[in-house]
Amino acid sequence: SGQDDTLRMSRYQVQDTDKVILLDEKTHQIIINCTRLVGDRFDNNAKYAVVDVSRVIKSDSMPEPREVKKVAELFVQCATAIADILESGKDALIYCKNGRSRSPAVVAAFFIIFRGYELDAIKGWFNEAYPSQRPETARVSTNFPNFDKYEQVMALLEKSISEPISLCPTRS
């Protein structure tokens, strides 16, 4: 199966162990952010609850200005899932395809919304943690983790904390 795994790995999934481990200081639970390849291996592990961000946020490209609020709503949905997992006493396993853009941004959204961190502080923390724990990916990706794609979404989330606006999906 090793050869099959290698074929599934993209250039950003340099190793089949590519993951970043973060600690939520409030619950003392672990948040693992990883690639799909790693996430699929943990999917049936009872210790972890899984959030596959790519199932919720389908596109891995920068949202158009008119889509920013909708994408922010999806980020809130994923961040809420992380909060629920951690509060239940489980560790959270968060992934997308490469664990490089969407899922790190969702983990950052969790820390903004539920822990009150500012985006600049998160970026500083993640810019140390991610390259040190996934050095090969950092070597091939000059922008890792890639927050640039979701800069507008993250700014809207941060603003909504200080000036509440409705980012909860509306029911029809």
Side-chain angles (χ1 to χ4, degrees):
S1 160
Q3 188 173 9
D4 292 339
D5 291 343
T6 303
L7 295 174
R8 290 179 50 208
M9 290 170 56
S10 76
R11 72 181 197 161
Y12 297 117
Q13 291 172 297
V14 179
Q15 300 173 356
D16 65 357
T17 57
D18 274 353
K19 63 184 175 287
V20 174
I21 301 171
L22 305 167
L23 177 68
D24 176 38
E25 291 180 351
K26 180 179 179 192
T27 63
H28 302 286
Q29 297 302 125
I30 295 200
I31 300 171
I32 297 177
N33 183 207
C34 59
T35 67
R36 174 174 308 290
L37 183 65
V38 175
D40 285 348
R41 291 195 179 134
F42 282 94
D43 205 3
N44 293 316
N45 186 322
K47 180 176 163 94
Y48 301 100
V50 175
V51 177
D52 179 353
V53 172
S54 62
R55 290 181 186 257
V56 178
I57 304 166
K58 306 282 186 199
S59 174
D60 189 25
S61 52
M62 187 178 297
E64 296 292 325
R66 69 183 188 286
E67 298 172 342
V68 169
K69 186 175 179 196
K70 175 67 177 161
V71 174
E73 291 170 357
L74 298 175
F75 271 59
V76 170
Q77 181 181 337
C78 291
T80 302
I82 295 170
D84 290 346
I85 290 167
L86 299 176
E87 292 296 328
S88 78
K90 286 193 168 195
D91 292 333
L93 183 80
I94 316 304
Y95 70 89
C96 55
K97 181 179 178 196
N98 295 313
R100 190 178 150 269
S101 300
R102 285 175 287 184
S103 56
V106 161
V107 172
F110 160 77
F111 282 107
I112 290 170
I113 297 166
F114 291 95
R115 300 299 182 253
Y117 286 92
E118 292 183 1
L119 182 57
D120 287 340
I122 293 167
K123 283 181 177 181
W125 181 34
F126 281 22
N127 286 335
E128 286 182 29
Y130 278 69
S132 69
Q133 293 186 47
R134 288 181 62 188
E136 290 300 313
T137 301
R139 188 179 58 73
V140 297
S141 176
T142 58
N143 192 7
F144 176 63
N146 184 1
F147 288 117
D148 292 348
K149 287 183 187 177
Y150 301 105
E151 190 75 33
Q152 292 176 315
V153 172
M154 304 305 280
L156 180 59
L157 290 174
E158 201 168 38
K159 180 179 179 188
S160 72
I161 299 301
S162 61
E163 301 170 24
I165 57 173
S166 177
L167 288 177
C168 296
T170 54
R171 296 187 179 174
S172 33

